[in-house]
Amino acid sequence: MSLIENFQNIFKIEELKNRIFYTIGILLIFRVGTFITMPGVDAAALAQSGGGPATDFLGLINLFVGGAFARAGVFALGIMPYITAAIIIQLMGAVVPYFQKLQREGEEGRRKINQLTRYGTVLITLIQSIGFGINLLATQPDAIVVSSTAFIINCMIVLTAGTVFVMWLGERITERGIGNGISLLIMIGIIAALPTNFMNEWNTQANAIIVFVEVAVLVLVTASVVLLTQGQRRIPVQYARRVVGRKVYGGTTQYLPLRVNAAGVMPIIFAQSIMFIPSTFGMFFPTNETVQNLTRWSGDFTGLTYSIVFFTICVFFTFFYTAIVINPKEMADTMKRQGGFIPGVRPGKQTVEFIDNILTKITFPGALFLSTVAILPAIVANFGVTPGFAMFYGGTSLLIIVGVGLDTLQQVESHLMMRHYDGFMKTGRIKGRRRM
């Protein structure tokens, strides 16, 4: 069956069709909101002065929120405060007993964690909105038509309300649409910038052949990232035969999948968060020369020193985050309770050491490849690619697009398979990623 027929099958399933249209509608609402300028800002004056902040740090934020940051829109902070809050809560779950208890409480614990994440989102947004207001007052004073105090208060109210509304839109997509709503909102903001950046690249390059070569390289990089995202090492697990009444359970061989990139995009997000600390301080102290010099260093993503530091931090956080999300001891205990064992390996401590050894061996090349993808935009930018278009060659942008795309396709394929339709692939299944 052809790919076109598979897409036609999507619209034969009423529930799936409604979910897709609902998701598209929510994404359109989000895109419209990114063009609404917040009160107290003269949109025409802001556009004439260069469209808002333009440093690499702020430019990356602007990429994730679909251009709303540069336009001083009501969605200027987008969903990023929610992502930050979720990361903090997840990290606290590894070290704080209270959050560890919540993670073990099942659905009730997840509801409490979600509620705490929402509260954290509001708090982080309030703090970031103050920095946004101070930075805009310092960099674009002619575009502000109200007093400084009124504008800061306005930023806190409007941007917090905007982020909470975007968070609600994402939850609606997850509940009634298709795919992970929060991730889709980030992805649509990134993709929205692709046509503009491609046209800038086209107009900048004197030779069209160079652009075609760049696109070909981009396709190859994307394919390699798909392989990285899908790659896994399957460990065979044998389950003992058990007789319960008249039924026989077990006696089969299953597989324990260990992903080459179990950490997903999180190591790059962590590394960027650290590299952005000077830039964050720079938003609050726009007139301090020392802070601004440090901000310029941390914002120069094409610099050699920046790339080396960024690469090293990415490798470290790949191992760190993999250790958080994958617990070999817990895997071994669960396997033992279910009567499973790895052939040739004793249950208990030896199984833990075996899984940990395999995990280390596959994580190391995965960390090197992921870190290379992270600094790939800097590499291609040094070869003459415009910075805006270079962002799509790797880093968070490409990993999010690939990861969210695979996750959404997996959900669509699940709906098709449940109704006895063929999926998108004739052999195998699309393996989704672990969500952000």
Side-chain angles (χ1 to χ4, degrees):
M1 187 175 291
S2 67
L3 184 63
I4 296 177
E5 290 176 314
N6 288 331
F7 276 107
Q8 290 175 344
N9 290 334
I10 291 176
F11 298 97
K12 295 179 182 179
I13 304 173
E14 189 68 22
E15 180 191 358
L16 180 57
K17 180 178 69 174
N18 292 338
R19 283 179 173 270
I20 291 176
F21 284 138
Y22 183 85
T23 302
I24 293 174
I26 294 293
L27 293 177
L28 287 175
I29 293 174
F30 172 70
R31 286 301 300 154
V32 170
T34 60
F35 289 92
I36 300 176
T37 305
M38 62 187 299
V41 178
D42 186 341
L46 186 65
Q48 290 176 359
S49 62
T55 64
D56 290 325
F57 162 62
L58 301 181
L60 185 61
I61 295 179
N62 188 53
L63 178 67
F64 288 162
V65 298
F69 193 94
R71 290 187 287 266
V74 294
F75 295 164
L77 297 180
I79 199 63
M80 300 311 295
Y82 177 86
I83 299 298
T84 304
I87 291 172
I88 293 173
I89 295 294
Q90 192 170 23
L91 290 176
M92 293 179 71
V95 295
V96 179
Y98 174 74
F99 289 96
Q100 292 175 348
K101 180 182 177 183
L102 289 179
Q103 290 176 344
R104 292 192 296 265
E105 288 181 355
E107 186 62 31
E108 182 64 25
R110 279 193 293 271
R111 279 198 294 266
K112 291 181 180 179
I113 290 176
N114 289 337
Q115 193 67 19
L116 290 172
T117 303
R118 295 188 185 102
Y119 291 147
T121 301
V122 173
L123 179 61
I124 291 172
T125 308
L126 286 172
I127 297 173
Q128 291 184 350
S129 63
I130 296 174
F132 175 86
I134 294 174
N135 183 78
L136 199 61
L137 283 169
T139 57
Q140 308 292 336
D142 295 336
I144 311 303
V145 296
V146 295
S147 66
S148 300
T149 303
F151 182 68
I152 296 298
I153 296 175
N154 179 51
C155 285
M156 294 175 65
I157 296 173
V158 173
L159 295 182
T160 301
T163 294
V164 171
F165 182 67
V166 171
M167 179 175 62
W168 181 81
L169 291 178
E171 291 177 350
R172 297 286 69 75
I173 291 177
T174 303
E175 181 180 341
R176 300 180 56 185
I178 195 79
N180 180 269
I182 302 299
S183 301
L184 276 172
L185 291 177
I186 298 176
M187 186 186 76
I188 201 67
I190 296 173
I191 292 179
L194 181 58
T196 301
N197 288 314
F198 176 76
M199 291 307 301
N200 290 337
E201 180 67 21
W202 179 272
N203 295 328
T204 301
Q205 298 294 346
N207 193 336
I209 297 178
I210 297 178
V211 179
F212 288 127
V213 171
E214 291 174 354
V215 172
V217 172
L218 179 59
V219 172
L220 291 176
V221 171
T222 304
S224 65
V225 172
V226 172
L227 291 175
L228 172 68
T229 305
Q230 297 284 79
Q232 60 180 223
R233 166 72 183 274
R234 299 199 305 169
I235 300 176
V237 179
Q238 182 73 36
Y239 287 90
R241 186 184 300 272
R242 295 181 296 118
V243 179
V244 180
R246 295 184 177 182
K247 294 184 178 181
V248 178
Y249 298 90
T252 59
T253 300
Q254 297 182 7
Y255 292 92
L256 178 66
L258 296 178
R259 289 190 177 276
V260 175
N261 181 29
V265 73
M266 299 310 294
I268 299 182
I269 292 178
F270 286 154
Q272 285 179 334
S273 298
I274 291 178
M275 300 301 289
F276 288 162
I277 289 176
S279 299
T280 304
F281 277 106
M283 293 175 64
F284 288 92
F285 303 99
T287 59
N288 189 297
E289 185 175 350
T290 303
V291 174
Q292 291 306 311
N293 288 334
L294 189 59
T295 299
R296 280 189 287 272
W297 172 84
S298 65
D300 182 19
F301 77 98
T302 60
L304 178 61
T305 305
Y306 180 96
S307 297
I308 294 174
V309 174
F310 191 40
F311 183 94
T312 305
I313 296 177
C314 283
V315 171
F316 169 77
F317 274 116
T318 301
F319 281 95
F320 175 77
Y321 197 77
T322 301
I324 291 178
V325 298
I326 298 182
N327 188 340
K329 187 177 186 307
E330 185 177 331
M331 285 183 173
D333 291 342
T334 302
M335 198 185 305
K336 186 177 181 180
R337 286 195 301 268
Q338 296 175 350
F341 62 93
I342 299 174
V345 182
R346 288 179 179 273
K349 183 179 179 181
Q350 288 191 12
T351 299
V352 174
E353 293 176 348
F354 180 82
I355 295 175
D356 186 63
N357 184 42
I358 294 295
L359 190 62
T360 302
K361 288 181 178 179
I362 65 174
T363 300
F364 181 69
L368 294 180
F369 189 88
L370 181 67
S371 301
T372 302
V373 171
I375 65 172
L376 202 54
I379 296 175
V380 297
N382 283 306
F383 279 93
V385 180
T386 56
F389 192 58
M391 297 300 295
F392 292 92
Y393 278 82
T396 315
S397 304
L398 184 59
L399 284 169
I400 288 177
I401 291 174
V402 170
V404 176
L406 290 174
D407 184 48
T408 305
L409 283 177
Q410 183 201 29
Q411 291 195 28
V412 173
E413 188 179 58
S414 297
H415 281 274
L416 291 173
M417 301 294 285
M418 281 171 40
R419 272 80 174 181
H420 306 291
Y421 289 103
D422 288 336
F424 290 106
M425 300 178 66
K426 292 183 179 180
T427 58
R429 297 288 303 278
I430 297 175
K431 298 187 284 291
R433 68 188 182 96
R434 183 179 40 72
R435 295 178 184 175
M436 294 172 59

